[in-house]
Amino acid sequence: MTTVPGQLVWEIVKRNNCFLVKQFGRGNAKVQFSKESNNLCNLNSYKHSGLANKKTVTIQPADKDQGVVLGTTKTKKQNKPKLSVNKSVLKKEFPRMAKVVANQVVDNYYRPDLKKAALARLSVISKGLRVAKSGPKRRNRQA
């Protein structure tokens, strides 16, 4: 099967696809977002597109437990979407998860341009998964 270049795919899907969300800002300024699963910033751009790029990174919360799923796509199995994603579940504390994400994205020369976006997404998801401490609030007994 012949693979289609990413630039051609992007030119076809950039203005109209099922993941596109268009919103109007002030005046005529149009902002376009994307709901793709492999889009870290949810922006409709070639750099962040999960449809047009062969190498994509996704960070999502895990289903049942307090963890984060880091997914990267394999470049060899583009015609089999279910088999084309390497998923690993991260259950450590935040600094260790950040180190793992940085190693996967940058140090392996996978997509170094997405390091900042991947770490920002990891930070937001890990803050959302954090559970507040339960119990009564303690008062300061110093008068």
Side-chain angles (χ1 to χ4, degrees):
M1 181 174 181
T2 308
T3 59
V4 181
Q7 291 85 4
L8 179 61
V9 172
W10 175 245
E11 288 297 324
I12 293 170
V13 301
K14 73 178 176 181
R15 293 187 191 260
N16 191 11
N17 63 54
C18 64
F19 301 110
L20 194 60
V21 177
K22 296 180 181 179
Q23 293 184 351
F24 289 96
R26 296 181 180 174
N28 292 334
K30 210 178 352 177
V31 181
Q32 293 184 347
F33 296 105
S34 180
K35 295 188 289 185
E36 300 168 29
S37 63
N38 292 335
N39 193 332
L40 283 174
C41 294
N42 295 334
L43 294 174
N44 188 34
S45 67
Y46 176 71
K47 176 182 175 181
H48 299 293
S49 175
L51 299 173
N53 290 312
K54 285 186 177 181
K55 294 181 177 182
T56 60
V57 177
T58 182
I59 298 175
Q60 299 172 345
D63 292 333
K64 298 176 184 173
D65 53 352
Q66 297 292 325
V68 176
V69 176
L70 170 67
T72 56
T73 54
K74 300 176 191 174
T75 57
K76 299 290 181 183
K77 298 190 178 189
Q78 292 290 319
N79 58 346
K80 297 179 182 176
K82 189 172 183 178
L83 299 175
S84 69
V85 179
N86 284 331
K87 291 184 180 178
S88 57
V89 179
L90 308 173
K91 295 183 184 179
K92 307 287 184 184
E93 57 273 357
F94 179 75
R96 292 179 84 183
M97 287 194 295
K99 186 175 181 183
V100 168
V101 169
N103 286 340
Q104 287 290 323
V105 175
V106 178
D107 292 343
N108 291 340
Y109 302 106
Y110 191 73
R111 286 287 301 269
D113 58 328
L114 294 180
K115 178 184 177 184
K116 187 176 178 181
L119 291 176
R121 179 79 171 222
L122 176 69
S123 174
V124 168
I125 289 176
S126 65
K127 274 186 186 175
L129 293 175
R130 201 174 302 151
V131 177
K133 293 182 181 179
S134 61
K137 293 185 179 181
R138 297 184 184 204
R139 290 184 176 178
N140 189 1
R141 295 191 180 227
Q142 296 174 357

